[in-house]
Amino acid sequence: MPETPSLYHISSAVVATLPTATLSVLSQLAVMKNVEVHGHGGGKIVIVIEGTSTGMMGECLSRISLFDGVISANMVFEHIETEGA
């Protein structure tokens, strides 16, 4: 029986923050596993999340949306690769 290929998900998202909370949110994002900050300005932070499922992406964004000072955390794009492709 052939093995099911492993899927690898890469997602970009924008996190909107209260301007006074941006630095605090950046600090919290910096220690999250599989999350990279790619830029910020004007209370918005662009991040990339990597993982093994769409559910993992959603759970990560849900956690981020609960940070103090976060107004919203929304996925912008998701790409799925087959591992080894």
Side-chain angles (χ1 to χ4, degrees), residues 9-15 34-38 45-51 57-58 61 64 73-80:
H9 297 247
I10 302 168
S11 172
S12 63
V14 175
V15 180
N34 300 322
V35 174
E36 292 180 23
V37 174
H38 281 269
I45 304 169
V46 176
I47 62 172
V48 171
I49 307 168
E50 300 175 357
M57 304 290 144
L61 284 174
I64 292 168
N74 296 302
M75 186 180 300
V76 176
F77 177 80
E78 183 177 8
H79 178 75
I80 303 170

